[in-house]
Coordinates of all heavy atoms in Angstrom, one line a residue:
V150 N 9.7 10.2 30.5 CA 9.8 11.5 31.2 C 9.7 12.7 30.3 O 9.2 13.8 30.6 CB 11.2 11.6 32.0 CG1 11.5 13.0 32.4 CG2 11.1 10.6 33.2
S151 N 10.1 12.5 29.0 CA 10.0 13.6 28.0 C 8.5 14.0 27.9 O 8.2 15.2 27.8 CB 10.6 13.2 26.7 OG 9.8 12.3 26.0
Y152 N 7.6 13.0 27.8 CA 6.2 13.3 27.7 C 5.7 13.9 29.0 O 4.8 14.8 29.0 CB 5.4 12.0 27.5 CG 5.5 11.4 26.1 CD1 6.4 10.4 25.7 CD2 4.6 11.9 25.1 CE1 6.4 9.9 24.4 CE2 4.7 11.5 23.8 CZ 5.6 10.5 23.5 OH 5.6 10.0 22.2
M153 N 6.2 13.5 30.1 CA 5.7 14.0 31.4 C 6.0 15.5 31.6 O 5.3 16.2 32.2 CB 6.4 13.2 32.6 CG 5.9 11.7 32.6 SD 6.8 10.7 33.8 CE 6.1 11.3 35.4
I154 N 7.2 15.9 31.0 CA 7.6 17.3 31.2 C 7.1 18.2 30.0 O 6.6 19.3 30.3 CB 9.1 17.4 31.3 CG1 9.6 16.7 32.6 CG2 9.6 18.8 31.2 CD1 11.1 16.6 32.7
E155 N 7.1 17.6 28.8 CA 6.6 18.4 27.7 C 5.1 18.5 27.6 O 4.6 19.4 27.0 CB 7.2 17.8 26.4 CG 8.7 17.7 26.3 CD 9.3 19.0 26.0 OE1 8.7 20.0 25.6 OE2 10.6 19.1 26.3
G156 N 4.4 17.6 28.2 CA 2.9 17.6 28.2 C 2.4 16.9 26.9 O 1.2 17.0 26.6
G157 N 3.2 16.2 26.2 CA 2.8 15.5 25.0 C 4.1 15.3 24.2 O 5.2 15.3 24.7
S158 N 3.9 15.0 22.9 CA 5.0 14.8 22.0 C 5.7 16.1 21.7 O 5.1 17.2 21.9 CB 4.6 14.1 20.7 OG 3.6 14.8 20.1
S159 N 6.9 16.1 21.3 CA 7.7 17.3 21.1 C 8.7 17.2 19.9 O 9.1 16.1 19.6 CB 8.5 17.6 22.4 OG 9.4 18.7 22.2
K160 N 9.0 18.3 19.3 CA 10.0 18.3 18.2 C 11.4 18.5 18.7 O 12.3 18.0 18.1 CB 9.6 19.4 17.2 CG 8.3 19.2 16.4 CD 8.1 20.3 15.4 CE 6.8 20.0 14.6 NZ 6.5 21.1 13.7
D161 N 11.6 19.2 19.8 CA 12.9 19.5 20.3 C 13.2 19.1 21.7 O 14.3 19.2 22.2 CB 13.3 21.0 20.0 CG 12.3 21.9 20.7 OD1 11.5 21.4 21.6 OD2 12.3 23.1 20.5
Y162 N 12.2 18.7 22.5 CA 12.3 18.3 23.9 C 13.0 19.4 24.7 O 13.7 19.1 25.7 CB 13.1 17.0 24.0 CG 12.6 15.9 23.0 CD1 13.1 15.8 21.7 CD2 11.5 15.1 23.4 CE1 12.6 14.9 20.8 CE2 11.0 14.2 22.5 CZ 11.5 14.1 21.2 OH 11.0 13.2 20.3
A163 N 12.7 20.6 24.3 CA 13.4 21.8 24.9 C 13.2 21.9 26.4 O 14.1 22.2 27.2 CB 13.0 23.1 24.2
K164 N 11.9 21.7 26.9 CA 11.6 21.8 28.3 C 12.4 20.8 29.1 O 13.0 21.1 30.1 CB 10.1 21.7 28.5 CG 9.3 22.9 28.0 CD 7.8 22.6 28.2 CE 7.0 23.7 27.5 NZ 5.5 23.4 27.6
A165 N 12.3 19.5 28.6 CA 12.9 18.4 29.4 C 14.4 18.5 29.4 O 15.0 18.3 30.4 CB 12.4 17.1 28.8
K166 N 15.0 18.8 28.2 CA 16.4 18.8 28.2 C 17.0 20.0 28.9 O 18.0 19.9 29.6 CB 16.9 18.9 26.7 CG 16.7 17.6 26.0 CD 17.1 17.7 24.5 CE 18.6 17.7 24.3 NZ 18.9 17.7 22.9
T167 N 16.3 21.2 28.9 CA 16.7 22.3 29.6 C 16.7 22.1 31.1 O 17.6 22.4 31.9 CB 15.9 23.6 29.3 OG1 16.0 23.8 27.9 CG2 16.3 24.8 30.1
W168 N 15.6 21.4 31.6 CA 15.5 21.0 33.0 C 16.7 20.1 33.4 O 17.4 20.3 34.4 CB 14.2 20.3 33.3 CG 13.8 20.1 34.7 CD1 14.7 20.1 35.8 CD2 12.5 19.9 35.3 NE1 14.0 19.9 37.0 CE2 12.7 19.8 36.7 CE3 11.3 19.8 34.7 CZ2 11.6 19.5 37.5 CZ3 10.2 19.6 35.5 CH2 10.3 19.4 36.9
A169 N 17.0 19.1 32.5 CA 18.1 18.2 32.8 C 19.4 18.9 32.9 O 20.2 18.7 33.8 CB 18.1 17.1 31.7
Y170 N 19.7 19.8 32.0 CA 21.0 20.5 31.9 C 21.1 21.6 33.0 O 22.2 21.8 33.6 CB 21.1 21.2 30.6 CG 21.4 20.3 29.4 CD1 21.0 20.7 28.1 CD2 22.0 19.1 29.5 CE1 21.2 19.9 27.0 CE2 22.2 18.3 28.4 CZ 21.8 18.7 27.2 OH 22.0 17.9 26.1
S171 N 20.0 22.2 33.4 CA 20.1 23.3 34.4 C 20.0 22.8 35.8 O 20.5 23.4 36.7 CB 19.0 24.3 34.1 OG 17.7 23.7 34.2
N172 N 19.3 21.6 36.0 CA 19.2 21.1 37.4 C 19.3 19.5 37.3 O 18.3 18.9 37.4 CB 17.9 21.5 38.1 CG 18.1 21.4 39.6 OD1 18.7 20.5 40.1 ND2 17.4 22.3 40.3
P173 N 20.5 19.0 37.0 CA 20.6 17.6 36.7 C 20.2 16.7 37.9 O 19.6 15.6 37.7 CB 22.0 17.3 36.4 CG 22.7 18.6 36.8 CD 21.7 19.7 36.8
L174 N 20.4 17.1 39.1 CA 20.0 16.3 40.3 C 18.5 16.2 40.4 O 18.0 15.2 40.8 CB 20.6 16.9 41.6 CG 22.2 16.8 41.6 CD1 22.7 17.4 42.9 CD2 22.7 15.4 41.4
E175 N 17.8 17.3 40.2 CA 16.3 17.3 40.1 C 15.8 16.3 39.0 O 14.9 15.5 39.3 CB 15.7 18.6 39.9 CG 15.5 19.5 41.1 CD 14.6 20.7 40.8 OE1 14.2 20.9 39.7 OE2 14.5 21.5 41.8
F176 N 16.5 16.4 37.9 CA 16.1 15.6 36.7 C 16.3 14.1 37.1 O 15.5 13.2 36.7 CB 16.8 16.0 35.5 CG 16.2 15.5 34.2 CD1 15.1 16.0 33.7 CD2 16.8 14.4 33.5 CE1 14.5 15.5 32.5 CE2 16.3 13.9 32.4 CZ 15.1 14.4 31.9
D177 N 17.4 13.8 37.8 CA 17.7 12.5 38.2 C 16.6 11.9 39.1 O 16.2 10.7 38.9 CB 19.0 12.4 39.0 CG 20.3 12.5 38.2 OD1 20.2 12.3 37.0 OD2 21.3 12.8 38.8
R178 N 16.0 12.8 39.9 CA 14.9 12.3 40.8 C 13.7 11.9 39.9 O 13.0 10.9 40.3 CB 14.5 13.4 41.7 CG 15.5 13.6 42.9 CD 15.0 14.7 43.8 NE 13.7 14.4 44.4 CZ 12.9 15.2 45.1 NH1 13.4 16.5 45.3 NH2 11.8 14.9 45.6
I179 N 13.4 12.6 38.9 CA 12.3 12.2 38.0 C 12.6 10.9 37.3 O 11.7 10.0 37.3 CB 12.0 13.3 37.0 CG1 11.8 14.7 37.6 CG2 10.7 13.0 36.2 CD1 11.7 15.9 36.6

Side-chain angles (χ1 to χ4, degrees):
V150 166
S151 75
Y152 284 98
M153 293 172 75
I154 294 172
E155 300 288 341
S158 53
S159 172
K160 291 181 179 176
D161 57 10
Y162 311 93
K164 292 177 188 173
K166 290 177 73 177
T167 301
W168 192 338
Y170 289 151
S171 59
N172 202 326
L174 294 180
E175 271 191 6
F176 195 74
D177 285 343
R178 285 182 59 190
I179 309 171

